[in-house]
Amino acid sequence: MPLPQTEMPGRLQAHFAERGIRMTQQRRAILRVMETATKHLDAAQLLRKAQKLDASVDRSTVYRTLQLLKRHGLIDELDLMHIHGEGHYYERKLNRDHIHMACLRCGKIMEFVSDIFEKLKGQVEKDCRFRIVVSRLEIGGYCAGCRGAK
Amino acid sequence: MPLPQTEMPGRLQAHFAERGIRMTQQRRAILRVMETATKHLDAAQLLRKAQKLDASVDRSTVYRTLQLLKRHGLIDELDLMHIHGEGHYYERKLNRDHIHMACLRCGKIMEFVSDIFEKLKGQVEKDCRFRIVVSRLEIGGYCAGCRGAK
DNA sequence: GATTCAGTTGCAAACGAGTCGCAACTATAG
DNA sequence: CTATAGTTGCGACTCGTTTGCAACTGAATC
Ligand SMILES: [Mn+2]
Ligand SMILES: [Mn+2]
Ligand SMILES: [Zn+2]
Ligand SMILES: [Zn+2]
């Protein structure tokens, strides 16, 4: 299942312009990669893809831009159950939150949108008087295909 | 809110005995710390506390034991929104799963048990034909006390 | 209790992800 | 075009975690 493309590409750059954040060659490359990504990317993958658009992009600029995007709530950071090492994965934050499932056997990552999840967040906000800024539900287990084996 | 103490201490050691896992001085110290912890511990805190019970405990043994406990599904690993650095936190897995909320302003960690969360996991298992082994819902935002300020 | 050996340990070195200080550069406003 | 605050690449660094290895030890067997 590909990432739902419910926002048009260019949206991240537009956000930067609206909020008066300086646009640079390097940021343009990094944002473009995030905007057109069809899967969750880690920092190293993001760097490699961005360098294809602008060879000068440095690793530290990728990390600095990821921090910027996080601070502005434009991307989500995921562990994906640390199936491959200790690093993090990133994806654009879309209008609709979703759950991530990682198969512990084949490594497949699945996404799932649920009204019950929205209801649960509503319950937390109300019952705990907690203002939710970011939420992350990650599940590890066995996918349909791997259920039989094990 | 302290961790709910619904399982008796000694339970981790009992689990090891049942499954024929070798018990050592060092493991005894580490398990005792996990069993009696009243908050989420990172590897460094766990090491320090375990060394008070057995000064010979080494950092690498702590990590190896954490891996062992994870593999046996006896503990959960948390990010707690990476409020303090890139490390992980650990807690015993109790009968009842719970949600973690981290206040982005004061750093407080809150826990919350919810039937809706159980229902959501049921939906994932059914609708996605996914066998859940471990699940982690972490929420970042502002606690009741910090809502007013910003 | 002594013997045995697979499993476990401490140590030191290595690793991977992420951060930081700094001098050079550049996007943008005037 | 100029001035300047913000951004960059670079290299060195921190931090959390892993690993290879020789020495040790728990517990099963005698
Ligand atoms: Mn996703
Ligand atoms: Mn993490
Ligand atoms: Zn699978
Ligand atoms: Zn707070």
Side-chain angles (χ1 to χ4, degrees):
Chain A
M1 171 172 27
L3 297 190
Q5 293 294 15
T6 48
E7 297 206 12
M8 41 200 54
R11 203 68 232 294
L12 290 181
Q13 263 159 269
H15 244 280
F16 270 43
E18 283 161 26
R19 310 203 199 181
I21 303 170
R22 189 171 295 191
M23 184 52 54
T24 64
Q25 281 289 324
Q26 294 86 344
R27 283 181 181 170
R28 225 183 310 278
I30 294 167
L31 297 194
R32 175 129 325 248
V33 173
M34 285 305 296
E35 277 160 353
T36 60
T38 60
K39 64 187 210 38
H40 311 95
L41 300 175
D42 63 25
Q45 295 169 319
L46 178 51
L47 172 63
R48 259 181 280 114
K49 284 174 183 285
Q51 283 179 332
K52 284 185 186 153
L53 303 180
D54 176 347
S56 81
V57 176
D58 186 73
R59 201 161 44 96
S60 61
T61 300
V62 167
Y63 281 110
R64 289 192 272 236
T65 305
L66 284 172
Q67 281 182 156
L68 186 61
L69 289 165
K70 263 192 282 179
R71 237 182 298 124
H72 285 264
L74 297 171
I75 58 171
D76 273 327
E77 185 177 62
L78 306 169
D79 273 22
L80 301 183
M81 295 326 276
H82 287 305
I83 279 191
H84 312 288
E86 294 292 313
H88 291 121
Y89 294 84
Y90 301 91
E91 70 178 347
R92 297 183 60 185
K93 188 174 277 186
L94 300 170
N95 19 10
R96 201 76 202 269
D97 255 8
H98 56 269
I99 298 169
H100 289 95
M101 285 112 74
C103 178
L104 301 173
R105 184 162 179 276
C106 69
K108 188 164 63 180
I109 303 296
M110 282 151 287
E111 303 184 319
F112 182 59
V113 173
S114 163
D115 286 333
I116 299 180
F117 186 37
E118 299 304 316
K119 202 168 135 201
L120 174 55
K121 287 189 290 184
Q123 185 194 33
V124 169
E125 291 230 329
K126 184 165 150 294
D127 291 13
C128 307
R129 306 192 339 103
F130 192 91
R131 162 66 130 284
I132 296 179
V133 173
V134 50
S135 66
R136 226 165 93 179
L137 173 52
E138 304 196 26
I139 296 177
Y142 296 99
C143 74
C146 294
R147 287 283 310 264
K150 157 40 216 269
Chain B
M1 170 171 32
L3 297 189
Q5 294 292 16
T6 48
E7 297 207 13
M8 38 200 58
R11 203 68 231 295
L12 290 180
Q13 264 160 268
H15 244 280
F16 270 43
E18 283 161 27
R19 309 204 200 181
I21 303 169
R22 188 170 298 190
M23 183 54 53
T24 64
Q25 281 290 324
Q26 294 86 345
R27 283 182 181 169
R28 224 184 310 276
I30 295 168
L31 297 194
R32 172 125 336 236
V33 172
M34 285 305 296
E35 277 161 354
T36 61
T38 58
K39 63 187 211 37
H40 311 94
L41 300 176
D42 63 25
Q45 296 169 318
L46 178 51
L47 172 62
R48 259 181 281 115
K49 284 174 183 287
Q51 283 178 331
K52 284 185 187 154
L53 303 181
D54 174 349
S56 81
V57 176
D58 187 73
R59 202 158 37 98
S60 61
T61 300
V62 166
Y63 281 109
R64 288 192 271 235
T65 304
L66 284 172
Q67 280 181 158
L68 186 62
L69 288 165
K70 264 192 282 180
R71 237 183 299 123
H72 285 264
L74 297 171
I75 58 171
D76 273 328
E77 184 176 62
L78 306 169
D79 273 20
L80 300 184
M81 295 325 275
H82 287 306
I83 280 192
H84 311 287
E86 294 291 315
H88 291 118
Y89 294 84
Y90 301 90
E91 71 179 348
R92 295 182 61 187
K93 187 174 278 185
L94 300 171
N95 19 8
R96 202 76 202 268
D97 254 8
H98 57 269
I99 298 167
H100 290 95
M101 286 110 75
C103 179
L104 302 173
R105 186 163 178 274
C106 70
K108 189 164 63 182
I109 304 297
M110 282 151 288
E111 304 183 318
F112 182 59
V113 172
S114 165
D115 286 333
I116 299 180
F117 185 37
E118 300 304 316
K119 201 169 134 199
L120 175 55
K121 288 189 290 182
Q123 185 194 34
V124 168
E125 291 230 330
K126 183 164 152 293
D127 291 13
C128 307
R129 307 197 332 109
F130 190 91
R131 163 64 130 284
I132 296 179
V133 173
V134 50
S135 66
R136 224 165 96 180
L137 172 52
E138 303 195 26
I139 297 178
Y142 297 99
C143 75
C146 295
R147 288 282 311 261
K150 142 64 211 271

